[in-house]
Amino acid sequence: MTASVVLKTVNKIYAAKAKNPIYAVRDFSIEIAPGEIVALLGSSGCGKTSTLRMIAGFEEVTKGSIAIGGREIHMLPPARRGVAMAFEGYSLYPPLTLRQNIAFALKSERLGSAETDRRVEEVAKLLELTKHLDRYPATVSAGQQQRASLGRALVRKADLYLLDEPMGQLEPQLRAILRGRLKRYLREHGLTAILVTHDQTEANALADRIAVMEGGVLQQFASPAELKEKPANLYVGTFIGEPPMNVYRVEPQIADGRVSLRAGETELFGYDAARMQDAVVGLLARQSSVVVGVRPADVAVSPANGRGGATAKIVSNQWIGDQSHLESAFGDGVIVATLDGRFAGSSGETLSVSVPPEKLHIFAEDGPALAHGRHLAGEP
Ligand SMILES: Nc1ncnc2c1ncn2[C@@H]1O[C@H](COP(=O)(O)OP(=O)(O)O)[C@@H](O)[C@H]1O
Ligand SMILES: [Mg+2]
């Protein structure tokens, strides 16, 4: 029981007839394969929950269509869509114990009590809820309520599982454990799932593909690796990755076999043109101004060597366990570098910084990606 999901130019407008209608989702199109786990990722208010609720049938689709397993379902009542959902606000029934709440989801499957018990115990074990099953929602923690809500969705047999921020209330350790178990459970049963989250670690860990949304608009739908290596635009580039990508507005100057990326009088990055791909050099030659993006992990630092090149002055050096996060004044702004191991260096020291040309991300000033390293955007 697993199905494809196709959203075609789905729109959601709240208060459509009011003076200020709210455009929550705009022309959202996506195709999800059977058995695929997809995450909707984006900041608060970007339209994730609205999208999920339209698929489940708790919100009307203003415009567009939704099909599950090749069958258009957006006009059907929720109970006839073959969808199981874990809600952002849990929506547990207060007068029922967690066990009864989870079992309630099985009512329509008309199982015997032995089979119902077996299924409830199975998801309770998966979610570390066994000991709490006979308590009422009001007497357990938010994290336990949230897990019961997740259990109530997982216990059902459905064509599609919709999970809205299913682990937001859990403490980090338990969240990491349950992330692993949830993924294994979905995979073992070959289930199709759409997970909503604002946590990129969760999206990366669980999803085959991630749909990044902003302002109700799909920005990019791709694998975690592709989002990181080939962000479609500046929004995705800076949203994905921790710490975020460094970005600089620069004017490219190409002369005497050198590519110089300058902010005013200062050269931030300079390269021998022969070390760069011709197509990328050509692209830079045609632009009067671009935005370059550099991931903190791609920044190389060395003691200032006095031989020119860009220098940076350390502002802070944080040791965070197995990496150092180094922030330095650079050009008119700052550059953040993540370095393996413990970096010896303190505030005020001057460094040489460089980024290999194959690690540069180049964006147009208004956002779309132009090139990633050796490849123009859109090339394989
Ligand atoms: N029932 C509603 N009525 C009016 N506006 C709503 C309603 N639900 C959500 N919105 C608005 O729609 C936008 C998207 O909300 P939502 O889908 O909940 O975002 P997310 O889940 O990504 O945080 C927000 O501007 C939100 O305020
Ligand atoms: Mg939400």
Side-chain angles (χ1 to χ4, degrees), residues 35-66:
E36 195 173 16
I37 306 172
V38 163
L40 302 185
L41 176 68
S43 53
S44 180
C46 73
K48 306 180 295 293
T49 294
S50 299
T51 302
L52 221 54
R53 290 178 62 87
M54 284 190 284
I55 300 171
F58 300 110
E59 286 293 344
E60 206 174 303
V61 173
T62 307
K63 215 176 86 200
S65 68
I66 303 175

Side-chain angles (χ1 to χ4, degrees), residues 163-183:
L163 313 176
D164 196 350
E165 309 264 7
M167 289 181 280
Q169 289 294 335
L170 309 186
E171 53 220 68
Q173 263 120 352
L174 183 59
R175 193 183 310 176
I177 293 170
L178 292 194
R179 219 161 45 207
R181 287 195 196 165
L182 175 61
K183 184 157 187 174

Side-chain angles (χ1 to χ4, degrees), residues 239-266:
F239 185 75
I240 300 284
E242 249 296 301
M245 180 185 262
N246 298 287
V247 293
Y248 308 96
R249 187 167 166 265
V250 297
E251 291 104 50
Q253 283 179 17
I254 296 157
D256 305 327
R258 253 185 81 73
V259 175
S260 179
L261 302 177
R262 310 178 77 84
E265 294 299 291
T266 318

